[in-house]
């Protein structure tokens, strides 16, 4: 079922085959970006075969008219989408008058290579056209030094014959989203000038901001032949035509520098000037300098985040690919941004922000990047509180409901069972505040801004529960848990448990805020008492006989059976079964009870974890990219090592091996952290609580070892594990007391402490 | 909250006010039709104010591209819609060169009048334009004698001054559906000829049939002045221009005869000829003759179906309006047709056929029309068995699932919680077969065709249940009951109960079929045994303490409270509350447990009925047009007379008083029977079982009496009830033994039998 297009290599994603039948999949995997902008692995030159061209600019979006089967009250009015930006990658090329189009001309020596050290994409091929044999070599990156700059280089070398080569670098505003609901274009042209195009998003009736974007290029040429060049422009495209003639053995190099300026940062009338300034600085340095500066940024990132796996290059490649792609999507420079489910690699799902960020991404950034990165993710939600209040009001509820899908805090997706009911997302927003506070030790954030979010969320839960007189308990009806293969259930254990946790944590934090803050929050004694009553009398479905937490009321009435009983031809279920059949089946898309056990880890005994894992894992089909890592972590903890490793493989190579048969739509960016979580929290058993780190490491049988680094409260800690034991070193910072297999160990800076099994 | 545009009158719907602010509502109420075609109460002449023009032809539909928020496996691919036909009503008129447009010219003496004796719509007004005062009188009907013929008459009389009057009768193919999902037109022109337009529905990718329609007009003119006339035609419109000049006291009459021929009956190349034949016959007779023939058909219908209410003209008007509108929509002439939720009066909801037909409409046709009418409704479902098999297959299930919304048997609406889950509709299709068989005594139908439907439905249920090992019972998870204010619930009592009933009735009927039929059906002994096991071990939620049947698992956990506790400003809930809030509230859109009690009447004691009514009625908000009548019937049975009468009023005048604030979209055609059911089954307590009729009549306090007729096994029975008692008369047919208040009484033909209270 899986499909692998690229070779196994620890640091490189490469192939010598152009996957004409899987071009979209190949494009997804060779996507690159720099947090500010990104693009799918499309070709510079014209390609007439199946392709999905896509370039996306962070934070530039459009409220597409929504589609619903039947309108229901409270539905959001638009579906916010990351929009395909004016195409600045394009460099049509002809050789002796023939279009270099790999879908039409014969080629050899094709190679495609993404270097994971620095996110640089290279491509090469040789074409023979009208007696001329020409080798083309492409190189591109989005600069991490100057984030509004894209560097695209084409080198042509004539191997035989004589060639007139025309390069036609262009910027083209005639782009559209494949996922537009009504095939509408989202852009309109504003201005064209030599090599410079300004476009704006169309007006919309929803009051969301419009964006203006200027893209300007400077094309430098060097080569053995002379060049003639001239510029052209249309209503929404600009182009430069560079023509050169080369003999055998001669070569030419075109560098297309593109500056991309958006109204998020620069007012529209100043954009052309700003773009020119970027280009002036760009052309003043050779490409090699740009590349070196760019690579240096990456080197720093890798120095604190690389995970080494010894003895399993496929696993090694998987995790590096995940870290690379995640960091190319977001590295926390801009608190107005977040991590979209497809990043810059596709359009599906729309929106910029899902609960994935808090649930899966925050823990990794906490440990692999500066605290500021995570803080920016928290501030994003803080800044969007007005939207969250709006969402709750739309449902007639108090407090704040963070959206399932959003750009600006306002819910922008329409499925009642998800947007109205998958409210557990609110708990993850709160949990991320706890996570940040506990991991970093920084209480400033939670006591100033975080508590505003916590109180707003607590007020939502307190209004969303109802008291069942018959049972004498609080309940939460009509929800969808993390397992989206059940909708509109009552008393989802995970949701109820996390709502209870939110109220409890909010009360804890409230007890610590300043008088002034307390006054501003105005949580009355009666309100606190009500929250405490909900905490005390929250209904949490359990089954005493099975010794498990029950996914929701009614789950145990289902026709319970293991996923192994399914015909493999029916997998994945979501591509084969009618939706109603999925809903009433016992099969679980994504960890639900186990997600709660993962979050509230130390509230449960190992025996409880084991019983719940043993009960739920066999019914879990992991058809969400977010599922496998949580199961892997719990499997590791309860000693199900083989299972933990198998689930790691699935999460680490989800896209590289196209496990879910949908990577052609784009990468699963928000689940990229899964492999990191599985290694660090699963295999190494890392947990944190009250400023203390704990480990319980093991090494998978077929690995000879693995190593990762953690940023923790001013230290850089190196953790290396092999079959003999583990070695811990504080590489930077002060001494640190940690627990390994429940034993306290004090680590002296610079001294590797080895602990045998 | 209600809005009444027309005067109270036993036989007429009339007003002297043009409701410019409620034009659409006025248009819905003045809709007319003849089962073959129908139209909203639009104006002949141009009207530039807000209006919703709509003419619909029975069985002519289009598969509109569907809209869903997020595609799910198994979803139907199109949403079938009754389409707005080429507009043949239109007669633009000018007086002295000025457009007669009531939104722009001054007028007086306006009146609008729908005669319920015969469904003839009349309208009159006087305009003063450039010193000429002209009175216009319009009259239109769709002939019940020649169903493809519409007769539209305009009379103009000059009261003062001198007027050049131009009538421009036209047929215009440039029409669209307001509810088109993508604003697409569904028609394309095929041919124009003098006064004759042929249009065809556009090609579609779904393999559903295309329709060709020819509309041709013959315009006769008579008057005191001379007339000049000429014809024009465009690419998709034809028109005739008739110009006359009249002095004060002179008048002119235009009759526009329109023949409407569709490819459902006549191949497209023969349509113009067929239309001409209809017109030739039409113009050969004066309008008065047409009207008399048409009215004679109605007189026969009323003779067997009229319900007289004495002492309450509002109630009287309501029920006649309902019967009129229902019979104008469907009178059983064509077994390929059914009763759409809006009939010919609007577009909302799409589709032609809902479970409303079997649940609400069949019982009334059984008693008020020839058995053939009901038989046609049953055959419609029999003929659509292949579609029902298709629907079940789409969900991976055996047997047949009748669609929620359809034209051809294939489900054509998309909402997973409805189309996939509101499967109780299957039970109503089976129950209608029982109802027909029991009422008429005709067993031929059920033993030849009906049993095919029953077995297919039984097989669906047997596959759709699952066995809960924990409970040792069969369950049905993931359904939506008649109460659509709860979705995706488990063990809906009504659904489980009716599934059990279907299996039991099918086994009963199977025991009676011929050997040959049994062989063809091939229901094995094992299959029958499995059905019996499901019957025996079906889980039916009950609450012993409350003594009620429980709507579904979890209902009693809700925050139960009466609808009277709601702020009236929040009603109707579906226009004020977010969908999720409605779902988890205890408020009931439509009878659910009570619907089951209504169907399986004699399985329950009066005490059971009372307890369930007392429990559920206070939480029922009746925001479905189908709800009130069932509650009224049960209220009547348990002696809650005031409640029964109040609920009757709501159902009888639902549209005339615009109770649900949505009649502007069209009339609630399928709930038109509600008032009849409330009187006959509620107030008169009529029940039938094994060929016996029972009554338990009472007369509402503010009525002096009421009377209705029943067709029953060859008799015409007149039932008259007043405050003193009831009088039963067999007006036609043999003697009949009935039960009144449980006492057997034998009725001698022609002898009125009075029974005092």
């Amino acid at each position: 079922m899986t499909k692998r297009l690229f070779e196994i290599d620890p640091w490189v994603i490469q192939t010598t085959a152009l996957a004409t039948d899987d071009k979209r999949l190949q494009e997804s995997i060779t996507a690159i970006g720099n947090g500010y902008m990104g693009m799918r692995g499309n070709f510079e030159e014209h390609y007439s075969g199946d392709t999905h061209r896509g370039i996306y600019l962070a934070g530039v979006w459009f409220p597409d008219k929504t589609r619903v089967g039947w309108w229901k009250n409270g539905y959001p009015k638009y579906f916010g989408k990351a929009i395909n930006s004016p195409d600045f990658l394009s460099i049509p090329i002809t050789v002796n008058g023939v279009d270099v189009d790999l879908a039409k001309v014969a080629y050899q020596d094709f190679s495609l290579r993404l270097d994971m050290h620095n996110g640089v994409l290279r491509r090469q091929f040789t074409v023979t056209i009208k007696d001329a044999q020409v080798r083309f070599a492409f190189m591109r990156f989005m600069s991490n030094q100057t984030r509004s700059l894209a560097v695209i280089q084409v080198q042509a070398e004539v191997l035989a014959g004589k060639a007139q080569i025309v390069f036609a670098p262009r910027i083209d505003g005639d782009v559209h989203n494949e996922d537009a609901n009504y095939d509408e274009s989202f852009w309109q042209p504003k201005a064209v000038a030599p090599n410079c195009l300004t476009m704006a998003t169309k007006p919309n009736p929803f009051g969301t901001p419009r964006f203006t974007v200027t893209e300007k290029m400077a094309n430098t040429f060097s080569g053995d032949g002379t060049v003639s060049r001239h510029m052209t422009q249309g209503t929404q495209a600009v182009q430069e035509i560079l023509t050169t003639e080369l003999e055998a053995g001669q070569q030419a190099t075109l560098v297309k520098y593109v500056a991309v300026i958006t109204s998020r940062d620069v007012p529209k009338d100043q954009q052309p000037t700003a773009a020119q300034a970027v280009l002036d600085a760009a052309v003043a340095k050779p490409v090699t300098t740009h590349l070196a500066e760019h690579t240096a940024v990456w080197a720093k990132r890798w120095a604190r985040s690389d995970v080494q796996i010894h003895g399993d290059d496929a696993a090694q490649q998987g995790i590096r690919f995940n870290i690379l792609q995640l960091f190319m999507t977001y590295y926390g420079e801009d608190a107005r941004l977040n991590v979209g489910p497809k990043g810059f690699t596709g359009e599906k799902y729309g929106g910029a922000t899902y609960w994935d960020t808090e649930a899966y991404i925050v823990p990794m950034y906490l440990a692999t990047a500066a605290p500021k990165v995570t803080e920016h993710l928290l501030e994003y939600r803080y800044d969007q509180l007005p939207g969250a209040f709006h969402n709750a009001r739309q449902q007639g509820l108090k407090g704040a409901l963070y959206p399932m899908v959003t750009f600006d805090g306002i819910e922008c997706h329409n499925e009642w069972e998800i947007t109205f009911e998958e409210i557990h997302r609110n708990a993850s927003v709160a949990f991320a505040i706890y996570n940040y506070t506990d991991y970093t030790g920084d209480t400033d954030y939670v006591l100033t801004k975080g508590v505003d979010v916590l109180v707003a969320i607590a007020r939502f839960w307190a209004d969303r529960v109802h008291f069942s007189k018959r049972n004498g308990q609080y309940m939460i009806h009509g929800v969808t848990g993390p397992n989206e293969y059940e909708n509109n259930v009552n008393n989802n254990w995970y949701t109820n448990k996390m709502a209870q946790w939110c109220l409890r944590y909010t009360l804890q934090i409230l007890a610590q805020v300043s008088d002034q803050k307390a006054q501003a929050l105005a949580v009355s004694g009666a309100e606190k008492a009500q929250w405490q009553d909900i905490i005390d009398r929250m209904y949490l479905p359990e089954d005493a006989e099975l010794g498990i937490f029950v996914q929701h009321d009614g789950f145990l009435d289902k026709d319970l059976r293991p996923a192994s009983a399914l015909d493999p031809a029916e997998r994945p279920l979501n591509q084969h079964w009618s939706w109603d059949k999925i809903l009433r089946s016992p099969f679980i898309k994504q960890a639900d009870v186990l997600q709660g056990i993962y979050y509230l880890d130390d509230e449960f005994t190992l025996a409880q974890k084991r019983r719940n894992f043993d009960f739920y894992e066999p019914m879990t089909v992991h058809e969400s990219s977010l599922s496998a890592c949580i199961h892997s972590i719990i499997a590791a903890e309860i000693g199900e090592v083989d299972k933990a490793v198998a689930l790691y493989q699935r999460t680490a190579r989800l896209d590289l091996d196209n496990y879910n048969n949908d990577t052609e739509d784009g990468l699963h960016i928000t689940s990229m952290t899964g492999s990191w979580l599985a290694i660090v929290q699963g295999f190494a058993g890392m947990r944190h609580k009250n400023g203390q780190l704990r480990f319980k490491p093991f090494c998978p049988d077929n690995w000879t070892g693995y190593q990762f680094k953690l940023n923790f409260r001013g230290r850089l800690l190196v953790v290396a594990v092999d079959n003999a034991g583990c070695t811990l070193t504080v590489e930077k910072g002060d001494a640190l007391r940690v627990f390994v297999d429940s034993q306290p160990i004090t680590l002296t800076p610079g001294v590797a402490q080895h602990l045998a099994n």
Side-chain angles (χ1 to χ4, degrees), chain A:
Chain A
M1 302 287 284
T2 61
K3 180 169 274 172
R4 183 179 290 178
L5 297 184
F6 294 90
E7 298 159 20
I8 298 295
D9 182 290
W11 274 109
V12 175
I13 305 292
Q14 70 183 346
T15 178
T16 55
L18 167 57
T20 46
D21 291 342
D22 290 298
K23 182 76 163 57
R24 286 165 184 250
L25 176 57
Q26 205 163 51
E27 289 169 348
S28 295
I29 293 174
T30 53
I32 59 171
N34 68 355
Y36 177 87
M37 59 185 167
M39 57 169 61
R40 290 169 54 78
N42 306 121
F43 291 171
E44 285 82 352
E45 77 281 9
H46 177 225
Y47 180 75
S48 62
D50 182 55
T51 175
H52 178 203
R53 282 190 89 79
I55 299 179
Y56 308 92
L57 310 181
V60 175
W61 62 284
F62 191 78
D64 196 13
K65 273 187 284 180
T66 199
R67 265 165 81 161
V68 292
W70 205 271
W71 190 263
K72 295 186 180 81
N73 226 35
Y75 268 1
K77 296 204 163 47
Y78 57 82
F79 189 8
K81 291 181 175 165
I83 52 177
N84 213 330
S85 100
D87 180 354
F88 60 77
L89 172 66
S90 185
I91 309 178
I93 300 171
T94 62
V95 171
N96 293 334
V98 174
D99 188 23
V100 176
D101 170 358
L102 294 193
K104 291 192 173 153
V105 302
Y107 62 88
Q108 50 189 327
D109 296 335
F110 178 89
S111 75
L112 177 62
R113 174 189 168 95
L114 175 62
D115 187 340
M116 295 196 284
H117 288 98
N118 53 10
V120 173
L121 186 68
R122 288 185 173 81
R123 186 164 53 98
Q124 189 171 298
F125 57 82
T126 300
V127 292
T128 306
I129 293 172
K130 292 187 179 168
D131 300 331
Q133 194 180 24
V134 187
R135 181 166 61 209
F136 287 98
F138 297 81
M139 190 265 291
R140 81 173 82 132
F141 59 95
M142 312 282 184
S143 171
N144 268 343
Q145 181 71 17
T146 305
R147 296 171 68 238
S148 53
L149 179 67
V151 180
I152 305 160
Q153 177 181 282
V154 197
Q155 291 179 307
E157 181 179 358
V158 177
L159 304 182
K162 195 175 159 182
Q164 186 201 52
I165 303 176
V166 179
F167 301 95
R170 61 187 272 122
I171 299 171
D172 190 343
D174 184 16
V175 292
H176 68 283
N177 271 42
E178 281 206 352
D179 72 339
N181 280 340
Y182 295 85
D183 294 332
E184 291 171 328
S185 161
F186 300 150
W187 291 102
Q188 55 185 215
K190 281 311 209 190
V192 283
N195 278 357
C196 186
L197 175 66
T198 301
M199 304 279 290
T201 56
K202 287 192 173 165
N204 73 76
F206 308 112
T208 70
R210 295 177 64 188
F211 297 94
T212 301
V213 172
T214 295
E215 297 181 358
K216 187 166 188 177
M217 62 180 167
N219 302 302
T220 66
F221 181 88
S222 59
D224 298 326
T226 56
V227 65
S228 77
R229 47 198 298 173
H230 71 279
M231 296 173 187
T232 66
Q233 58 198 56
T235 53
Q236 52 180 336
V238 294
Q239 192 161 26
E240 188 169 3
I241 313 289
L242 298 94
T243 307
T244 188
E245 309 231 356
L246 301 178
E247 309 279 337
Q250 290 190 316
Q251 59 171 30
T253 300
L254 171 78
V255 183
K256 179 184 188 184
Y257 294 99
V258 184
V260 179
I261 308 293
T262 83
S263 54
R264 295 180 62 250
D265 303 306
V266 178
K268 57 187 173 184
D269 48 348
Q270 298 166 32
Q271 289 181 0
T273 312
Q276 190 55 50
V278 170
L279 294 177
D280 289 345
V283 298
K285 288 187 281 195
V287 167
T288 46
T289 305
H290 285 292
L291 185 54
E293 288 172 353
H294 169 76
T295 304
V297 175
W298 273 103
K300 273 192 215 161
R301 292 180 178 183
W302 282 117
R304 66 200 299 170
S305 66
D306 187 32
V307 177
Q308 294 171 28
I309 295 173
H310 309 299
D312 185 342
D313 282 351
Q316 173 69 77
Q317 186 181 39
I319 193 161
R320 286 214 176 104
F321 181 72
N322 292 342
I323 295 172
L324 172 80
Q325 286 292 353
L326 182 64
F327 287 179
M328 287 201 298
T329 306
Y330 184 85
Y331 204 74
E333 292 92 347
D334 186 340
R336 298 168 301 172
L337 300 178
N338 210 286
V339 188
K342 296 280 168 206
F344 303 114
T345 74
E347 295 168 6
K348 208 175 165 190
Y349 299 123
T353 315
Y354 287 62
W355 69 288
D356 310 24
T357 295
E358 281 76 15
Y360 304 99
I361 289 174
V362 158
M364 176 171 156
Y365 277 117
L366 271 177
T368 60
K372 198 73 199 163
V373 177
T374 309
E375 207 178 316
H376 273 175
L377 288 173
L378 303 190
E379 276 176 359
Y380 178 91
R381 296 295 195 179
Y382 175 79
D383 292 340
Q384 293 189 351
L385 252 177
F389 282 122
H390 166 92
N391 299 333
R393 271 197 308 275
Q394 286 294 99
Q395 294 189 27
L397 292 166
K398 294 176 185 153
L401 174 59
Y402 278 93
M404 194 68 197
V405 183
T406 196
F407 278 94
D408 58 0
I410 290 175
E411 179 62 67
C412 73
H413 176 47
N414 281 326
E415 283 183 296
W416 65 267
E417 66 273 21
I418 303 296
T419 50
F420 288 167
E421 298 207 333
E422 202 173 333
I423 53 174
H424 69 80
R425 58 191 184 248
N426 242 10
S428 281
V429 172
F431 197 78
I433 295 171
Y434 158 77
N435 231 346
Y436 169 84
T437 307
D438 188 73
Y439 193 87
T440 63
D442 166 27
T443 56
D444 278 0
Y445 181 79
V446 70
L447 294 178
T448 55
K449 293 179 173 176
V451 68
D452 291 4
V453 173
L454 292 173
V455 166
I457 286 174
R459 282 175 168 150
F460 174 84
W461 287 123
D463 198 29
R464 184 59 166 75
V465 304
H466 74 272
F467 187 72
S468 169
K469 294 186 205 76
R470 189 167 68 146
N471 298 58
Q473 287 179 294
Y474 290 93
M475 294 186 165
I476 307 182
H477 274 192
V479 303
T480 296
N483 172 27
E484 291 171 330
Y485 280 1
E486 297 188 302
N487 292 156
N488 192 46
V489 301
N490 293 337
N491 296 313
N492 175 257
W493 180 85
Y494 172 79
T495 305
N496 289 21
K497 182 79 184 171
M498 292 306 297
Q500 183 191 46
W501 177 89
C502 285
L503 291 165
R504 187 181 288 133
Y505 183 60
T506 305
L507 285 176
Q508 274 173 29
I509 294 300
L510 266 182
Q512 302 168 43
V513 298
S514 69
D515 288 352
Q516 194 187 357
K517 190 75 191 173
Q519 222 160 4
L521 291 165
V523 182
S524 69
E527 197 171 5
K528 287 183 201 171
Q530 187 213 358
W531 295 0
Q532 190 59 52
D533 192 44
I534 295 169
I535 294 166
D536 295 341
R537 296 201 282 170
M538 176 66 87
Y539 169 64
L540 297 166
E542 296 191 29
D543 188 88
E545 201 180 315
L546 296 166
I548 58 160
F549 308 119
V550 180
Q551 189 155 301
H552 65 85
D553 289 349
F555 184 81
L556 296 181
D557 284 340
K558 288 193 164 194
D559 179 15
L560 302 178
R561 56 200 198 279
S564 59
L566 288 165
D567 179 350
E570 294 180 308
R571 307 282 291 271
L573 297 181
N574 65 27
Q575 292 176 17
H576 294 90
W577 280 13
S578 169
W579 184 238
D580 60 309
K581 188 170 176 179
I582 290 176
L583 288 180
R584 63 181 181 273
S585 86
F587 302 114
I588 298 169
K589 181 184 181 193
Q590 169 174 2
D592 199 301
V593 166
L594 297 188
Q595 181 79 33
I597 288 177
Y598 164 73
Y599 265 162
L600 306 180
D601 180 56
D602 63 352
E603 288 193 23
F604 311 103
T605 66
L606 205 61
Q608 281 178 312
K609 291 178 183 180
R610 194 186 311 276
R611 280 198 304 271
N612 281 283
F613 183 87
D614 288 349
F615 184 78
Y616 288 109
E617 161 58 22
M619 293 186 280
T620 306
V621 290
H622 299 297
E623 290 178 13
S624 163
S625 63
L626 302 166
S627 183
C629 65
I630 303 301
H631 281 242
S632 178
I633 292 165
I634 294 175
E637 183 172 6
I638 63 173
E640 295 269 0
V641 172
D642 291 349
K643 193 84 198 168
V645 172
L647 289 163
Y648 166 82
Q649 293 287 4
R650 189 184 173 102
T651 185
R653 297 193 57 89
L654 180 79
D655 287 319
L656 286 177
D657 291 346
N658 196 21
Y659 267 94
N660 283 359
N661 191 29
D662 61 359
T663 296
E664 65 174 35
D665 296 330
L667 302 175
H668 297 82
I669 294 295
T670 50
S671 56
M672 287 286 170
T673 61
S675 46
W676 187 91
L677 292 170
I679 289 180
V680 175
Q681 300 187 344
F683 301 173
M686 188 274 270
R687 300 287 187 279
H688 61 89
K689 181 95 183 183
N690 300 328
Q692 290 192 318
L693 285 183
R694 291 185 287 126
F695 296 93
K696 197 180 143 197
F698 74 88
C699 183
D701 281 347
N702 63 330
W703 295 4
T704 54
Y706 62 92
Q707 175 180 313
F708 59 86
K709 297 181 181 181
L710 297 178
N711 300 281
F712 183 73
R713 302 196 173 195
R715 288 92 168 176
L716 186 63
L717 177 65
V718 184
V719 179
V721 183
D722 61 20
N723 296 318
C726 76
T727 305
L728 301 175
T729 316
V730 172
E731 211 174 80
K732 280 188 207 160
D734 300 337
L736 181 68
R737 188 158 173 271
V738 301
F739 290 78
V740 178
D741 291 329
S742 305
Q743 297 304 312
I745 291 148
T746 300
L747 303 174
T748 310
V751 179
Q753 181 118 15
H754 183 72
L755 296 132
N757 281 343

